[in-house]
Amino acid sequence: MTFDVLLFKATLLVYSVATLLYLVGVITRREQLGHCAKWTLVGGFATHCIALGARWAATGFPPAASLYEALSFFSWALVGTYLLFDLRYRIAALGAFVCPLALVMMIGGSAASKQKITVNPILDSWWFPVHVTLAFLGYAVFAVAAMAGVMYLLQERRVKAKKFSGLFFRLPPLDVLDSINYKCLSFGFPLMTMGIISGAIWANSAWGGYWRWEPKETGALVTWFLYAALLHGRLTVGWRGRRAAIFAIIGFVCLLFTFLGVNLLSGGQHTFRSFGE
Amino acid sequence: MHIVVVGLSHHTAPVEVRERLAFAPTAMEKPLHQMLALPAIAEALIVSTCNRVELYAASKEPDTAVATLRRFLADYHGVPLEEIEQNLYDYQGEEAIRHLFRVSSSLDSMIIGEPQILGQIKTAYGYAVEFRTAGLILNRFLHKAFSVAKRVRTETGIASSAVSVSFAAVELARKIFDRLDDKGVMIIGAGEMCELAARHFVSNGVTRVLVTNRTFERAEKLAAEFQGRAVPFEQFTDHLASVDIVLTSTGAPTFILGHRQMEEILRRRKNRPMFLIDIAVPRDVDPKVNNLDNVYLYDVDDLQGVVQANLKERQKEAHRAEAIVNEEIGQFHVWLANLEVKPTIVALRRRFEEITAQEVAKTFGNHKDLTDAQRKGIEAMANAIVNKLLHRPIALLKRTQNETGGEDYVDTVRELFDLPAPAVDETPLEPLDDDTDNR
């Protein structure tokens, strides 16, 4: 096992502990546990940073070329985004939703092949890290939005149906969840837009064409339009609450499909396999 | 020394019995002094609230103390003991400790988690201190009970949720809105319940209050109370879009707010969420309004449901509170046992040392020809014998002090060697903090 993989495993372990602490903390409603969970997560994130750095040093390419690397990177961006949100919102319950998602990606990553990939020299430019960082940060912010959306729907149904038990006492106020949705949208949308543009520029410098309508590009564009519609609706006619939450969830499902589904189902330049060709 | 309690509460006695046995808070000196003068009572405390009357005491003979206190409670109020016998309960030792810890943590209250009881016990303790009927043991006992109550309140959610309808409305609003200080409330009609709920909202930060009523003067009067604004009843729907929380309780026979109207109002406020509380019977707001997105409509029964759910939640939290109480009982028990064991060991040593000193002096008197070295040797031998003899009994006292039956050894040792009653030193107590909130 190489150093970077060892660090990855360590990160996975720490994230598992943080997830467990978040879940137990929210279920038993102990604030101290949520606090422990957060600092555990901060520790895991630091380890993760070193792991990604080590991987970059070992392969010589930004650690987002193979499925394993991309999942790890996604999860890193997600945890980082969540921790940033935590500075503002301090909602342990959000951690209990986001942290498991990051953990699932890490587990997915650990199941994927960890072989080093030599990136096609044509693709090796500074646009590579710029594109993937922007894209993944956008993904991560939208993932947080989707989790807040799930929480919103759960809580909204309880408030509407007047069912007061379990989760009702554990979830934050509805308008906090809705404002997370809005915050995510206003950060995620520019990130995603820049991610797509930087990707186009990169593609142009590598293959001499900005846009090739390959599945991943199309998927990203569809998702982009979805989020654009939501942002527009929010700003003009006041789409909020339930509708915004549902949109955020659908948008994230589209994202996941774009990110994973396209890879697993079809070809194109964005599949990880094609990196090495 | 043991702690005993004799009393009755809402669990065991109806209000007719409780009121006959209550002690007037203005005249606690007489009963406290009479109680202290009773045989087998070393320290005395009386807790008397509308839900319970309890006599706490520290005593060397717990069984006698219990019997005396039962008799005292009946005699003091001129009630035949036989009449109230079935309403009384009594606890001794660990059970008495548990009882006060549970009572002060509000685990024994009619509404679990209600905060008043702690304040009432603090007041009762205040009288016992003022009239000097509480000594070392009750002092420590009560301080411990207060700290247990505080732990229970901060570490469990036992008192965190509302159990009154008007407060439940505020709590629900907090599940919809993050902050209340930038929200507006409209009161439609002037029911008492509405007013009470509005008061709760205002004390929780709401600053903008609109009031409307069919009689405009009444609206103006109520608005003045909240430093709000009165709006004419005919135009109240025009102002609805500007408020987030609506409290309604008019006597109108039909709905005053329909589905269509609410739809329009929501459009005007760009779907910002609204919380409608309809306390009127018959209802003021069409129940179908609740089907609209971003509107949450609650009627009286719904709020009652919140209260029920909160009570259930408190019951669950009570289990965690019981665990804390159990933990603390152990700690206090150790302290109480220590109180007996430490002075006993000191007294035991002193008794043996006295005898040694006497006998050594006698020996030296009889044998004047001993050299200094020989005298030293004899002294050392006598001390060594005493230490060897005492080693096992002292080890046994120390080892069994936290076990049940440990106090039997203490009593035996005291009797065997005729030790004097312990003069315990007053350890300083942390100051009594008065932080009971009366929510």
Side-chain angles (χ1 to χ4, degrees), chain A residues 29 159-160 162 171 175 238, chain B residues 178 290 292 295 297-298 313:
Chain A
R29 280 199 280 165
V159 178
K160 270 268 191 233
K162 290 139 193 176
L171 292 175
D175 72 351
Chain B
D178 182 27
N290 196 41
L292 288 166
V295 179
L297 169 63
Y298 277 72
E313 216 25 49

Side-chain angles (χ1 to χ4, degrees), chain A residues 69-87:
Chain A
E69 289 171 353
L71 279 167
S72 167
F73 197 78
F74 194 164
S75 149
W76 172 83
L78 184 56
V79 171
T81 308
Y82 167 73
L83 288 174
L84 279 178
F85 263 87
D86 190 73
L87 289 178

Side-chain angles (χ1 to χ4, degrees), chain B residues 190-211:
Chain B
E192 203 176 319
M193 191 110 95
C194 256
E195 210 182 307
L196 191 60
R199 223 173 277 287
H200 277 307
F201 275 113
V202 169
S203 65
N204 277 274
V206 171
T207 46
R208 218 149 37 82
V209 180
L210 296 185
V211 185

Side-chain angles (χ1 to χ4, degrees), chain B residues 360 363-380:
Chain B
V360 168
T363 310
F364 290 172
N366 293 344
H367 303 274
K368 300 249 190 288
D369 51 342
L370 289 171
T371 64
D372 275 359
Q374 283 169 324
R375 284 170 187 246
K376 275 215 176 97
I378 289 169
E379 264 176 12

